[in-house]
Amino acid sequence: MTLIDLRSDTCSQPTRAMREAMAWADVGDDVYGDDPTVKELETESAALLGKQDAVYMPSGTMTNQVGIRAHTEPGDAVLFDQNAHVYLLEGGAPAAYSGTLPRLLPGIRGIFTAADVAAAVGRPHPFFPSTVPAPVKLLCIENTHNLGGGTVWPLEQLLAATAAGRQLGLNLHLDGARLWHASAATGIDVAEYAAPFDTVSVCFSKALGAPVGSCLAGPAELVARARRFKQQIGGGFRQAGIVAAGALYALRQHRSQLPEVHANAKRFAVTVSQMDGIDLDPAHVETNIVLFRLTRGSSAAFVDQAHRLGLHVLPSGADGIRAVFYLDISADDADRAATVVGKTLAAL
Ligand SMILES: Cc1ncc(COP(=O)(O)O)c(C=O)c1O
């Protein structure tokens, strides 16, 4: 029995062709700015995202946190959705690395409104000294939203929320780890989603199928500042062209396959949503992430039993389950995974 691994789209495996591209990549020392493959990836990513420059780093956590550091000084406040990856799942780095304070926005499945942004910043009043509160410097948005269930920001709402941030004098950072997925789901160009933001972080290692890495794109001056912070936290990774070649391959060859990945996630969700004991609206499955609730029993018992039966999924809170689809998971795997969900429910 082969285990179907739906814990995360980071579990994807590099293909043979990708490994070939990596094996023969031209490389140099990235710290000295010498690696031609890294440069090619940075140039191509910046162009795709409509930004002046980009910098390649080992992880999405690093591109997000270096981005936050580049926009802020210790003591500044940053606006995040209450379930943002940068806030909840990056080891406390906004506090530990940038010394920033989170101000949380009440997003629904990761999506909040312009009014939420305005309310979180508040209105200055001459009776109240502006030196008292931590100054809010940055608004972060996540598209698609991981813990929201792969939610895509509606473009109009994204434009309204970012315009509200701008009006309040904030800088804007997009955690676009899965921006490729938003674009594949809606047909809206990644550059259009990226346009309102100063900086954009994108990942190649999730459902795009590359083994390593992310780019932070933005204006040349900010990217230059980010390069300094990348070095400061040990992100200078020498002959990184080996892994950048995998990222370039993924960018060029794998984006077109994302609609199929989304279709497999939906196929699984539709079947599972019809099972007794599951709370899941398939309309909420917009991209490659399926989140569902158990109406009885605990998520811990469910994931253990599913694992024994051949399906690896993650708990999401006390009664939630997360299943993530990627290139290596076929339509047949999606059907087999749904069958295991049914058997798991029956066994509990
Ligand atoms: C939305 C989002 N941002 C950032 C990251 C961090 O990426 P990495 O695992 O490469 O550090 C993830 C990882 O899953 C993510 O889902």
Side-chain angles (χ1 to χ4, degrees):
M1 178 185 69
T2 45
L3 192 67
I4 304 168
D5 193 348
L6 302 184
R7 283 172 301 166
S8 172
D9 46 9
T10 52
C11 298
S12 60
Q13 292 285 323
T15 61
R16 180 172 287 270
M18 182 184 280
R19 285 174 189 268
E20 279 289 317
M22 293 168 71
W24 303 112
D26 289 330
V27 297
D29 190 327
D30 173 54
V31 175
Y32 296 121
D34 282 352
D35 194 302
T37 309
V38 168
K39 282 190 182 164
E40 201 178 339
L41 175 66
E42 291 176 342
T43 306
E44 198 159 316
S45 300
L48 271 174
L49 294 164
K51 301 297 180 198
Q52 277 179 333
D53 199 1
V55 49
Y56 183 51
M57 301 190 211
S59 71
T61 298
M62 196 182 282
T63 42
N64 276 330
Q65 298 304 331
V66 161
I68 291 171
R69 180 66 191 91
H71 282 292
T72 58
E73 291 303 333
D76 289 343
V78 181
L79 300 185
F80 303 115
D81 169 61
Q82 59 190 347
N83 289 313
H85 194 280
V86 278
Y87 166 62
L88 283 183
L89 297 176
E90 299 189 2
Y97 177 55
S98 297
T100 53
L101 285 94
R103 291 259 185 101
L104 300 182
L105 301 171
I108 297 171
R109 297 172 57 239
I111 316 285
F112 47 81
T113 64
D116 293 331
V117 173
V121 174
R123 270 200 215 128
H125 190 279
F127 292 172
F128 193 72
S130 65
T131 47
V132 172
V136 185
K137 287 286 174 61
L138 180 66
L139 167 64
C140 291
I141 287 184
E142 186 175 321
N143 191 20
T144 66
H145 197 285
N146 179 343
L147 294 181
T151 343
V152 181
W153 270 78
L155 188 59
E156 275 196 14
Q157 199 161 339
L158 184 82
L159 293 175
T162 49
R166 278 281 180 240
Q167 244 181 359
L168 292 159
L170 306 184
N171 281 2
L172 304 170
H173 173 75
L174 173 62
D175 177 358
R178 297 183 185 79
L179 193 62
W180 321 113
H181 301 71
S183 179
T186 61
I188 295 170
D189 198 274
V190 284
E192 198 171 346
Y193 280 125
F197 295 89
D198 300 295
T199 50
V200 185
S201 162
V202 289
C203 292
F204 308 108
S205 59
K206 314 243 158 6
L208 276 191
V212 179
S214 291
C215 267
L216 179 70
E221 214 175 301
L222 254 171
V223 171
R225 182 169 154 82
R227 284 185 196 280
R228 179 191 155 219
F229 292 120
K230 168 188 168 182
Q231 184 65 17
Q232 187 180 73
I233 54 167
F237 54 159
R238 307 300 180 184
Q239 281 71 31
I242 298 278
V243 279
L248 258 179
Y249 185 93
L251 197 57
R252 291 172 183 167
Q253 307 297 332
H254 288 174
R255 283 174 65 201
S256 60
Q257 297 173 38
L258 292 181
E260 209 178 311
V261 173
H262 297 174
N264 289 340
K266 184 74 115 183
R267 179 185 179 106
F268 168 84
V270 167
T271 310
V272 165
S273 69
Q274 289 157 7
M275 295 176 183
D276 191 29
I278 300 278
D279 179 12
L280 166 61
D281 181 353
H284 284 171
V285 179
E286 300 174 56
T287 54
N288 67 324
I289 300 178
V290 181
L291 272 185
F292 57 89
R293 275 190 55 253
L294 304 169
T295 57
R296 53 175 191 269
S298 75
S299 53
F302 182 97
V303 299
D304 288 346
Q305 180 62 22
H307 190 240
R308 282 192 283 275
L309 295 173
L311 174 63
H312 219 2
V313 285
L314 287 184
S316 176
D319 59 1
I321 304 292
R322 189 183 85 146
V324 188
F325 289 73
Y326 50 98
L327 298 174
D328 314 43
I329 305 296
S330 65
D332 196 43
D333 293 330
D335 291 344
R336 286 200 300 128
T339 304
V340 176
V341 170
K343 286 183 181 167
T344 303
L345 291 169
L348 287 175

